[in-house]
Amino acid sequence: MLWRLKPWVLVAVLMVVPTTGGDVERLENSRQVARILSARILATLLLRLILSLALASLFFDILGYRWINRLFALACYAILLMPGFLQVAYHYFFSSQVQRSVIYGDQPRNRLDLFLPTNSDGQKPVVVFVTGGAWIIGYKAWGSLLGRQLAERNIIVACIDYRNFPQGTISDMVNDVSNGISFVYNNIDDYGGDPKRIYLMGQSAGAHISSCVLLEQAIKESTGESTSWSVSQLKAYFGLSGGYNLFNLVDHFHSRGLYRSIFLSIMEGKESFKQFSPEVRVKDPRIRDAISLLPPIILFHGTSDQSIPSDASKAFVDALQGVGAKAELILYKGKTHTDLFLQDPLRGGKDDLFDHIVSVIHAEDKEALANDAMAPPRKRLVPEILLRIASHISPF
């Protein structure tokens, strides 16, 4: 019966539900972290929250009650996961292994964060990560947890920020991300990265944007156009919980509150759907030469994802395989849109998605694979009861 209660009741229940000794200790650790967070961190986080709320209120008259409901659910969701968020924020702001807001271009929000391993011996593989956020609230810091955990496995992570709507539309986002990848290719050796071992990854809207970048870059290369980075140099592409066909997504998003009029504005009208639908575009026989340049593509998706159904990844993999591209789909039964990216990493311990990504990156490095096998379990950042309630009330 607990899981049928309203979100605000569930939050209140937390005040009286007993926890295990381990959970109490973790909560106390989180309180200690919260107490030592500086005014700068709190001010920054508060500013980010205020800006997000302001953006939500900007669309209030258009989006109406449904989005107010979702906004409230989002606030409860964030509060429940706050013990983990505070620890990740502390690492993000204070760790010497994080270089924040490295400038990669001359447009607004052309910044990226670098998460560097503590071991500086030899060149490291690199993951260029593009965060999600419904094309509206994406932010580079959303990749902090992934960056921290991959850096612990001796992998450099570059989290790219990009213009969101209404500051930019989809073509601006694609251009920003492409410029960010170019910066990484041409400068990552200065940070200890190996430009010959770069992997591209996107999550949710970030998976859509990065897949558009991937295909657009392959087309440019296949036609002999001058480029500042080469898609054929990418070792692999990872797409997490993404959507790759705008024609199939517009009605689904409309039913979930991202209304058609706004979605069309983000995507520059329905006439641009084909250009920004990789699943559709790869079937065009005129770009067959570009398909041969694509790196191995691995898509991950939870079967219980309501934000972007897993059929979106299945259809894209089918389309890629149909034109001869190397593509693979890995489904996670019962996982939601946020389970794979947030709840599971915050839970600690074994994480099948994380382990799979690391195994692909380290596939040609026997020493790294041996170190991975001996790596200690990742620590839990949020008590299990909070994770379960958060999963239940998640607006995603």
Side-chain angles (χ1 to χ4, degrees):
M1 293 298 293
L2 176 63
W3 310 111
R4 298 179 182 275
L5 297 176
K6 296 294 185 182
W8 52 89
V9 179
L10 290 172
V11 173
V13 167
L14 292 176
M15 304 303 174
V16 296
V17 172
T19 58
T20 66
D23 286 344
V24 170
E25 181 180 352
R26 281 186 290 270
L27 285 171
E28 180 59 32
N29 289 340
S30 298
R31 293 189 188 103
Q32 291 173 2
V33 171
R35 282 195 292 267
I36 63 175
L37 283 175
S38 69
R40 179 185 178 191
I41 285 184
L42 295 177
T44 303
L45 294 177
L46 181 60
L47 177 61
R48 174 62 55 179
L49 177 61
I50 290 172
L51 291 175
S52 298
L53 293 175
L55 184 59
S57 65
L58 177 65
F59 294 121
F60 172 74
D61 290 335
I62 302 174
L63 300 177
Y65 175 76
R66 182 181 299 176
W67 266 74
I68 292 300
N69 233 6
R70 290 185 182 277
L71 184 61
F72 182 76
L74 176 61
C76 293
Y77 177 80
I79 291 170
L80 290 165
L81 300 183
M82 193 58 68
F85 290 164
L86 289 176
Q87 296 175 68
V88 174
Y90 183 80
H91 179 268
Y92 178 72
F93 282 99
F94 286 120
S95 173
S96 60
Q97 305 309 123
V98 180
Q99 296 202 19
R100 293 180 288 112
S101 295
V102 178
I103 298 173
Y104 70 78
D106 57 5
Q107 294 297 321
R109 298 189 64 167
N110 279 189
R111 307 287 187 272
L112 59 83
D113 294 330
L114 290 171
F115 296 81
L116 307 174
T118 55
N119 175 11
S120 59
D121 295 338
Q123 289 186 313
K124 306 293 190 292
V126 182
V127 171
V128 179
F129 182 65
V130 185
T131 66
W135 303 274
I136 296 174
I137 58 170
Y139 184 53
K140 56 187 174 63
W142 301 166
S144 299
L145 180 57
L146 177 71
R148 172 183 173 179
Q149 293 179 337
L150 285 177
E152 291 173 351
R153 295 297 183 90
N154 236 19
I155 299 168
I156 293 176
V157 179
C159 292
I160 296 178
D161 207 4
Y162 54 89
R163 283 171 285 177
N164 285 194
F165 183 80
Q167 190 176 33
T169 54
I170 184 61
S171 60
D172 299 313
M173 301 176 202
V174 168
N175 288 335
D176 286 352
V177 170
S178 183
N179 289 335
I181 297 171
S182 176
F183 177 90
V184 173
Y185 261 96
N186 293 294
N187 296 276
I188 199 61
D189 56 339
D190 295 337
Y191 299 92
D194 187 349
K196 295 181 181 178
R197 289 190 292 165
I198 295 180
Y199 299 79
L200 178 60
M201 181 177 179
Q203 185 263 340
S204 191
H208 168 252
I209 296 168
S210 57
S211 64
C212 289
V213 172
L214 186 70
L215 187 56
E216 184 65 30
Q217 193 72 8
I219 293 172
K220 289 179 180 179
E221 286 185 42
S222 68
T223 58
E225 186 174 336
S226 177
T227 59
S228 59
W229 64 279
S230 174
V231 71
S232 57
Q233 289 179 271
L234 282 174
K235 296 288 288 182
Y237 171 79
F238 305 122
L240 174 58
S241 307
Y244 310 96
N245 186 335
L246 301 182
F247 294 98
N248 293 341
L249 292 174
V250 58
D251 290 334
H252 174 75
F253 285 144
H254 180 81
S255 69
R256 291 190 56 83
L258 182 54
Y259 293 156
R260 187 175 290 103
S261 59
I262 293 177
F263 189 71
L264 289 173
S265 296
I266 295 171
M267 300 303 166
E268 301 171 4
K270 197 167 185 178
E271 61 273 13
S272 296
F273 274 18
K274 181 178 180 180
Q275 180 183 354
F276 298 109
S277 294
E279 177 197 325
V280 176
R281 206 172 182 192
V282 296
K283 300 175 183 178
D284 188 339
R286 294 173 296 178
I287 66 166
R288 188 165 298 276
D289 290 341
I291 302 301
S292 64
L293 299 176
L294 294 175
I297 294 173
I298 306 175
L299 303 186
F300 307 93
H301 221 119
T303 60
S304 295
D305 191 331
Q306 299 299 314
S307 295
I308 303 178
S310 58
D311 286 347
S313 288
K314 183 180 185 304
F316 189 29
V317 165
D318 288 344
L320 287 165
Q321 292 176 342
V323 295
K326 186 176 181 181
E328 177 184 3
L329 172 63
I330 299 176
L331 295 175
Y332 295 91
K333 187 175 181 180
K335 297 296 184 180
T336 67
H337 196 67
T338 55
D339 279 338
L340 295 173
F341 186 63
L342 276 179
Q343 282 97 280
D344 285 352
L346 290 170
R347 181 172 281 112
K350 183 175 175 56
D351 184 335
D352 289 337
L353 169 64
F354 179 84
D355 290 343
H356 192 106
I357 291 172
V358 171
S359 69
V360 172
I361 296 172
H362 286 161
E364 299 174 2
D365 188 337
K366 292 182 179 180
E367 182 180 352
L369 288 173
N371 291 335
D372 292 337
M374 296 185 296
R378 294 179 303 164
K379 71 172 185 176
R380 177 184 288 275
L381 300 180
V382 177
E384 185 63 26
I385 188 172
L386 300 189
L387 289 170
R388 292 190 180 188
I389 298 175
S391 294
H392 178 71
I393 68 172
S394 171
F396 302 107

